[in-house]
Amino acid sequence: MLYIYRPNGRFMNETKEHILKTSLLLFLQKSYKEVTMKEIVTKTGLSKGAFYHYFISKEDLFREIAGLFFSMGRIDYSEFPQDSLYNFYNQYLDSIDRSFEQLYGLVDSSEEEAISFNLFFILFEAIARFPEFMKMELEEYTNALDAWKKVIKHAKERGEIKSSASNKKIANLFLYCTDGVFIRYMNNNKKASYRDSLASAFDTVYENLKV
């Protein structure tokens, strides 16, 4: 049986990935409540026995999909350059871009423009249903905040940026840009890439910090 390697270090067999991709499209097109297990099984083209070998319930399946989203969204800051804030946030942009490539890898290219790719709704639903995802989100935010504060502190010490704002406030400004630009990007029919849109926002913040 074919096994596909995922960036989070796990292997996934072809049938399971087919189920997740098919289910993901349904959850993106409808809400969690509207999608039924019967509909999912039918769309996959699998027998009930084959399907339930992998997932015993819609909740179980949805948890797996949400887990993939959260794992793909994780960023390893340990390898980020610390020599400048500019280099740091450009590495961050590259990491975000790779995460998007992974997410779109779960959706057939022919479907990308045909569906409302509202990832936030899936993540919000997951957080509401599964407390562990809220914990993961808070941990990720804490790690991100610490990493940004550290490089901002060094940038101030080296004279790369000048600002009376606290390191935490500046760090949150970059992080809030990430979420805000994402929302605008998803509602703008993807006329520009998310990376380019976010880079423009980051560059504006950075140039103002240098004044």
Side-chain angles (χ1 to χ4, degrees):
M1 183 177 289
L2 175 64
Y3 282 82
I4 299 172
Y5 182 71
R6 284 293 176 206
N8 58 13
R10 294 185 296 174
F11 286 88
M12 185 184 300
N13 70 55
E14 195 174 46
T15 301
K16 186 174 183 180
E17 179 157 294
H18 170 64
I19 293 173
L20 290 173
K21 285 184 175 182
T22 302
S23 305
L24 172 59
L25 288 175
L26 288 172
F27 287 130
L28 288 169
Q29 293 165 346
K30 304 180 180 182
S31 68
Y32 173 83
K33 292 181 179 179
E34 290 176 321
V35 178
T36 66
M37 278 294 280
K38 181 180 179 181
E39 184 179 14
I40 295 172
V41 174
T42 300
K43 281 284 188 179
T44 63
L46 299 171
S47 67
K48 287 184 179 180
F51 185 94
Y52 283 98
H53 172 72
Y54 294 96
F55 298 101
I56 60 174
S57 67
K58 183 173 73 169
E59 183 177 72
D60 183 39
L61 174 58
F62 189 74
R63 180 186 275 111
E64 180 88 9
I65 289 173
L68 278 176
F69 280 170
F70 276 96
S71 64
M72 288 176 181
R74 283 201 182 105
I75 295 177
D76 182 6
Y77 293 93
S78 63
E79 300 298 324
F80 279 29
Q82 298 292 316
D83 59 315
S84 79
L85 174 59
Y86 179 82
N87 290 336
F88 179 92
Y89 78 68
N90 274 281
Q91 182 67 47
Y92 178 82
L93 290 168
D94 289 342
S95 295
I96 292 283
D97 205 35
R98 285 193 294 271
S99 294
F100 261 77
E101 288 178 3
Q102 294 169 31
L103 288 172
Y104 280 121
L106 293 175
V107 182
D108 293 336
S109 59
S110 61
E111 298 285 350
E112 288 182 16
E113 298 297 332
I115 63 174
S116 177
F117 202 61
N118 290 317
L119 300 179
F120 272 141
F121 287 116
I122 287 183
L123 298 179
F124 289 155
E125 184 78 35
I127 288 173
R129 290 182 176 278
F130 312 115
E132 65 265 30
F133 289 124
M134 174 58 81
K135 181 180 179 181
M136 289 169 60
E137 177 64 19
L138 291 174
E139 289 175 350
E140 181 63 22
Y141 166 71
T142 299
N143 291 337
L145 186 62
D146 288 345
W148 279 93
K149 284 165 55 181
K150 181 179 178 181
V151 74
I152 288 166
K153 178 177 180 291
H154 291 165
K156 283 182 176 181
E157 291 171 348
R158 289 190 297 269
E160 180 186 1
I161 62 173
K162 298 182 175 78
S163 176
S164 59
S166 69
N167 298 338
K168 182 177 180 179
K169 287 183 177 179
I170 297 173
N172 274 323
L173 186 57
F174 281 97
L175 293 174
Y176 295 161
C177 274
T178 302
D179 294 339
V181 172
F182 179 78
I183 294 173
R184 180 171 293 276
Y185 165 75
M186 297 315 297
N187 290 325
N188 200 34
N189 298 316
K190 302 186 247 329
K191 292 179 180 177
S193 75
Y194 176 58
R195 189 196 189 286
D196 289 345
S197 299
L198 186 57
S200 177
F202 278 4
D203 288 343
T204 299
V205 173
Y206 180 71
E207 289 302 318
N208 279 278
L209 289 173
K210 289 169 62 179
V211 175

